[in-house]
Amino acid sequence: MWRYSGNQMKRWRTKANVSREQLAAASNYSPDTIKSMEQGVRMPTPRALDVADELCRAEGLLSAAKEYLQREKFPVRAQDFMAREREAISLWWYEASLIPGLLQTESYARALIENRIPALDQETVEERIAARMERQALLVQQKPTVAFSFVLYEAVLRSPQTDVKQLHRLLEASRLRNVALQVLPFERAFSDALMGPMVLLETRDHERFAFNEGPFASELSADPEVVSRVTDRLSMIRAQALSPAESARFVERMVDQP
């Protein structure tokens, strides 16, 4: 929809012999911003659509696109996973480098999102942070209660971004009846545990999905072979990790360290 609306804005502008610079000046945007909207890189704003509609004499056809455009809360590569996450009745999550989004404090999330390369505009940053905080309601929803199992590699806890407030947040989450939180210490790690994050979820329809997230691409798969392989790896990681009680004591000792 972003690309289509931007393309229509460009077509109407060209048909009306309105330059990109003229539209930019009239709508108080830079020509580069208008270009990114026309190319579908950035969502056309209501102001840009209204100004283009008037300048290009589109008789409301461009302005009508406003009600169909809504900024996505999550990156495109994660949207399928987020949809399945909302349907989950159980979720196993292993992280080798970052705190899972469902357990992050706002300050931790901000540190990650604000330092993306290339940088996000501030409006997108705030929307992404708010969306991440909203997701955490899944941990405490009552109907139905979702079973969560998190395993964190010790490196996640030793990261500079993981401050005392974030450690307290982990302890708080671990006390929920439907949450199991485990730590995989350095000395118990094995090769598969160093290959990156893995998530396994089951929906209310008892469909099982495996999710692997990378820096440039992510994959949500229902392929039984992939799901089986991820299940085996997660089961081994959970078996090697400290028990939930031992893990809580591990995190508490980190909190108490000077």
Side-chain angles (χ1 to χ4, degrees):
M1 183 58 71
W2 287 22
R3 291 193 297 270
Y4 179 77
S5 298
N7 180 267
Q8 288 299 302
M9 189 165 70
K10 179 180 180 180
R11 287 176 178 271
W12 277 97
R13 179 178 60 75
T14 303
K15 180 181 179 182
N17 199 28
V18 174
S19 71
R20 185 175 289 147
E21 287 73 20
Q22 287 175 307
L23 177 55
S27 58
N28 198 28
Y29 288 112
S30 71
D32 283 343
T33 298
I34 295 298
K35 180 180 179 180
S36 68
M37 291 181 188
E38 292 181 344
Q39 293 178 338
V41 176
R42 179 176 299 195
M43 184 181 75
T45 64
R47 183 169 81 241
L49 289 168
D50 284 340
V51 172
D53 192 282
E54 183 177 352
L55 278 180
C56 303
R57 299 180 295 280
E59 299 181 349
L61 293 176
L62 287 175
S63 293
K66 293 186 295 184
E67 64 179 289
Y68 298 100
L69 292 176
Q70 182 177 1
R71 187 185 294 269
E72 295 291 351
K73 293 182 177 181
F74 305 106
V76 173
R77 62 193 177 91
Q79 287 170 17
D80 287 344
F81 171 70
M82 298 304 171
R84 298 299 181 183
E85 184 183 69
R86 290 191 294 270
E87 302 171 359
I89 59 172
S90 70
L91 185 148
W92 294 7
W93 195 318
Y94 171 69
E95 274 288 353
S97 57
L98 298 172
I99 300 291
L102 292 174
L103 302 177
Q104 292 175 7
T105 62
E106 183 174 339
S107 58
Y108 186 100
R110 182 175 296 278
L112 297 181
I113 295 172
E114 282 189 334
N115 289 287
R116 294 282 171 83
I117 299 175
L120 301 172
D121 62 81
Q122 195 58 40
E123 184 178 5
T124 301
V125 167
E126 298 303 329
E127 288 176 346
R128 295 277 174 87
I129 294 171
R132 189 163 298 182
M133 296 300 101
E134 288 173 11
R135 283 174 60 207
Q136 297 184 3
L138 293 171
L139 294 174
V140 294
Q141 66 181 8
Q142 298 299 315
K143 296 181 180 180
T145 300
V146 182
F148 293 93
S149 173
F150 298 98
V151 182
L152 307 182
Y153 185 42
E154 184 176 346
V156 176
L157 306 180
R158 303 291 182 187
S159 167
Q161 290 91 353
T162 307
D163 57 14
V164 172
K165 184 177 180 181
Q166 179 62 72
L167 293 175
H168 278 295
R169 170 68 183 129
L170 295 177
L171 289 171
E172 176 185 295
S174 72
R175 298 186 187 106
L176 297 173
R177 291 186 301 107
N178 59 317
V179 175
L181 179 67
Q182 295 176 262
V183 174
L184 179 68
F186 288 134
E187 64 271 15
R188 296 194 182 188
F190 55 101
S191 58
D192 280 358
L194 305 178
M195 295 177 65
M198 290 173 278
V199 182
L200 185 70
L201 62 83
E202 182 178 356
T203 70
R204 297 187 186 104
D205 295 326
H206 302 293
E207 294 179 291
R208 302 178 78 203
F209 293 87
F211 181 67
N212 290 283
E213 184 174 15
F216 304 110
S218 301
E219 180 186 11
L220 180 70
S221 177
D223 184 325
E225 184 176 342
V226 174
V227 170
S228 177
R229 188 162 64 247
V230 171
T231 300
D232 289 344
R233 289 181 176 178
L234 283 173
S235 297
M236 181 61 69
I237 289 171
R238 292 175 71 185
Q240 292 297 318
L242 300 175
S243 71
E246 292 171 327
S247 298
R249 290 193 290 270
F250 187 100
V251 177
E252 287 169 351
R253 287 195 296 271
M254 292 189 64
V255 170
D256 294 336
Q257 290 174 356

